[in-house]
Amino acid sequence: MSRLIGVRGWILALLGLVAPLAVGQESASDYAIQVPLSLSGEGPWYRLELPMAVHMAARYADLRDLRVFNGAGEVQAYALSLGSARQHETQQDSAVKWFPLRGPLHAEQSPGVRVQRSTSGTLVEVLGEEGARADQEVLRGWLLDTSAIEAPLQQLTLDWSAGHEGFQRFSIEASDDLQHWRAWGDGQIARLTFADERIDQRDVRLPGQSARYLRLLWSSPRQAPQLLSARLLSASSDRLAAPLSWSAELSPSSAKAGEYRWDLPLALPLQRVRVELAEANTLAPVSIAGRREGQVQWQPLARGLLYRLPQDGQEVLQDELELYGAPVQQLRVQVDERGGGLGSAAPSIRVGIRATQVVFLARGTPPYVLAIGKAAGSAASLPLSTLIPGYDDQRLAALGVATAAATPLLEVAAGAEQAPGWDWQRLGLWAVLLAGVGLLVLMAWSLLRARPAAP
């Protein structure tokens, strides 16, 4: 029994010696590249637009080998935010011309009109229906000329002369040719006065569609007021593509007539490639293929026409092709020489991937350092909603900004293969495991020797 206790003591002692290897904290020195960060704006959260050179210096495309350290060498909590497409809305407030619509007070049909247009198509006058008696006509509504507004109409704002108080209700119709009308519903404006206070309701929501003309016909009361102004709020929405992070110029690793190849440090999800067109009057049909390291077959990625040509006294340039996020480590560009090729010198390229932001919670003392490039990296990023309670896109845009220092060391590492290094933490864990197995075998052997022989 005492021998068993002694063996156990040896095991515990050995575990105590090697435990620091197994649970030791990460250090910036474990990473191939360390980039100083400068902070500006309000913290404690900061966002960093990750340079493309950092992506190319990483050991893993998903950036699992990325960390942020403070001045005391402590790891900072962080999240990764991938750039995405966004909707951008532009609003415009425009004053428009208005023309009176007259007709019998109790007529059910809409007032008939004749119009006169300028050479540009804009209305200059609206005439009453021929044959109608002026003494039997009243102001029934207004025709608005919105032909100068191309964006969808969102809101109508009216102002009218004094003396017309209370609620006013009218129908809204839209047309592009003044002959065919489509209903846009009803509108209501109001002016209320009480105890020297006045309340105006002048805005009317519109359905967000485009139209060259609007017809407003009053239904309650039947007679329309005199307008002082008419304004329309229009809004156009544009879809902005996901922002990209571009590499520096990359020279081909091999070149021959009509074919060029490039090797990247690791397989990256490429979105676009930009080919240098050094010479004017270049016209080149090209096809692009890619493959990962170890693959034999090339996978077609894109086909298109690149050119740099004169047009109307200016130069037009088409030097990019879409690759749609295919993971690629080797690129091949084949040029149809019937177009004259890409020139006498081998072209360089730039590759683009979706931009990535690193958002981290600054804790402790500066300076802060971004570290990248660990052979046995493991993911440690948090979801943004966990890192920033109550996270939304507006709050993300208001965070402080971190900037990575431009360092030649980073550029060198990004363009070269990184030699694998020793992972001392993993080696230490294996040493613990093997030592434990060896001691268990020794303990079992000692117990077998000490067992008394059967009588």
Side-chain angles (χ1 to χ4, degrees):
M1 187 65 179
S2 61
R3 185 174 299 177
L4 179 60
I5 294 175
V7 172
R8 288 178 178 174
W10 278 103
I11 293 175
L12 292 175
L14 182 59
L15 288 174
L17 289 174
V18 300
L21 289 174
V23 299
Q25 292 185 347
E26 287 189 298
S27 169
S29 60
D30 298 334
Y31 295 79
I33 304 295
Q34 298 93 44
V35 185
L37 301 179
S38 57
L39 307 184
S40 62
E42 185 178 354
W45 292 278
Y46 293 89
R47 54 188 175 91
L48 166 68
E49 295 284 349
L50 208 59
M52 183 63 166
V54 172
H55 288 275
M56 301 185 75
R59 294 293 184 90
Y60 302 92
D62 60 4
L63 301 175
R64 72 184 68 174
D65 57 327
L66 181 145
R67 298 291 187 274
V68 177
F69 294 91
N70 63 12
E74 299 171 328
V75 178
Q76 308 293 282
Y78 74 97
L80 297 176
S81 174
L82 195 61
S84 58
R86 303 188 306 276
Q87 292 292 125
H88 176 70
E89 185 176 88
T90 303
Q91 292 187 336
Q92 182 176 0
D93 186 15
S94 306
V96 295
K97 291 183 178 181
W98 63 91
F99 302 88
L101 297 175
R102 299 184 180 276
L105 181 63
H106 299 291
E108 294 298 329
Q109 69 273 17
S110 300
V113 297
R114 294 181 298 112
V115 300
Q116 292 183 357
R117 297 186 182 91
S118 66
T119 55
S120 64
T122 303
L123 293 182
V124 294
E125 188 176 5
V126 176
L127 305 175
E129 187 175 13
E130 290 184 350
R133 293 179 53 183
D135 59 345
Q136 295 179 352
E137 291 183 339
V138 296
L139 184 61
R140 292 290 312 283
W142 296 93
L143 180 70
L144 306 183
D145 181 4
T146 61
S147 57
I149 305 175
E150 297 181 358
L153 305 178
Q154 303 284 345
Q155 181 176 284
L156 168 65
T157 301
L158 300 176
D159 191 14
W160 60 98
S161 60
H164 290 77
E165 294 197 356
F167 293 94
Q168 303 180 54
R169 192 170 183 83
F170 51 88
S171 64
I172 305 174
E173 297 172 293
S175 175
D176 293 323
D177 57 7
L178 292 172
Q179 296 185 21
H180 303 88
W181 296 88
R182 54 189 184 272
W184 273 14
D186 294 329
Q188 181 173 276
I189 55 177
R191 177 172 291 160
L192 305 174
T193 303
F194 178 76
D196 297 329
E197 297 288 338
R198 194 177 85 173
I199 299 176
D200 282 349
Q201 172 58 46
R202 303 189 301 155
D203 298 333
V204 178
R205 297 298 299 173
L206 298 179
Q209 302 175 24
S210 298
R212 294 179 58 83
Y213 309 102
L214 294 183
R215 182 166 65 182
L216 315 179
L217 294 178
W218 261 246
S219 57
S220 177
R222 300 282 289 180
Q223 185 170 350
Q226 289 291 334
L227 287 187
L228 300 178
S229 70
R231 306 189 68 86
L232 281 164
L233 181 68
S234 59
S236 59
S237 181
D238 299 320
R239 189 175 187 273
L240 303 180
L244 298 181
S245 180
W246 288 91
S247 71
E249 289 190 356
L250 304 174
S251 300
S253 56
S254 66
K256 60 182 181 181
E259 182 176 301
Y260 309 93
R261 296 187 183 183
W262 287 264
D263 293 320
L264 304 180
L266 75 167
L268 293 173
L270 303 185
Q271 295 286 339
R272 299 186 75 86
V273 61
R274 181 182 299 160
V275 181
E276 176 197 24
L277 303 180
E279 298 183 7
N281 302 333
T282 297
L283 180 70
V286 301
S287 61
I288 300 180
R291 65 184 179 186
R292 296 191 185 188
E293 185 179 14
Q295 291 181 336
V296 177
Q297 297 293 328
W298 290 91
Q299 302 296 322
L301 300 177
R303 184 182 298 271
L305 181 65
L306 305 179
Y307 53 84
R308 179 181 171 186
L309 299 170
Q311 181 178 350
D312 299 330
Q314 297 181 340
E315 189 175 65
V316 292
L317 179 67
Q318 172 58 43
D319 60 353
E320 292 184 12
L321 288 177
E322 194 89 20
L323 300 186
Y324 304 102
V328 171
Q329 188 164 4
Q330 293 178 312
L331 269 178
R332 182 184 69 187
V333 174
Q334 293 179 311
V335 183
D336 189 339
E337 294 289 326
R338 292 177 296 176
L342 296 177
S344 57
S348 62
I349 65 170
R350 296 176 185 265
V351 293
I353 65 174
R354 287 174 64 183
T356 300
Q357 284 189 344
V358 178
V359 182
F360 65 94
L361 177 60
R363 181 172 57 89
T365 58
Y368 295 92
V369 173
L370 176 73
I372 193 77
K374 184 177 180 181
S378 58
S381 62
L382 296 170
L384 266 174
S385 56
T386 301
L387 182 71
I388 308 177
Y391 156 79
D392 56 34
D393 291 339
Q394 291 184 346
R395 188 171 183 186
L396 179 63
L399 298 181
V401 176
T403 306
T407 166
L409 178 62
L410 180 59
E411 299 297 333
V412 170
E417 286 288 339
Q418 301 173 11
W422 294 100
D423 188 346
W424 294 108
Q425 184 174 359
R426 179 169 294 185
L427 290 176
L429 292 173
W430 275 107
V432 171
L433 179 61
L434 293 175
V437 171
L439 287 175
L440 288 175
V441 171
L442 178 61
M443 182 177 64
W445 180 71
S446 299
L447 291 175
L448 289 175
R449 288 189 58 191
R451 181 178 298 176

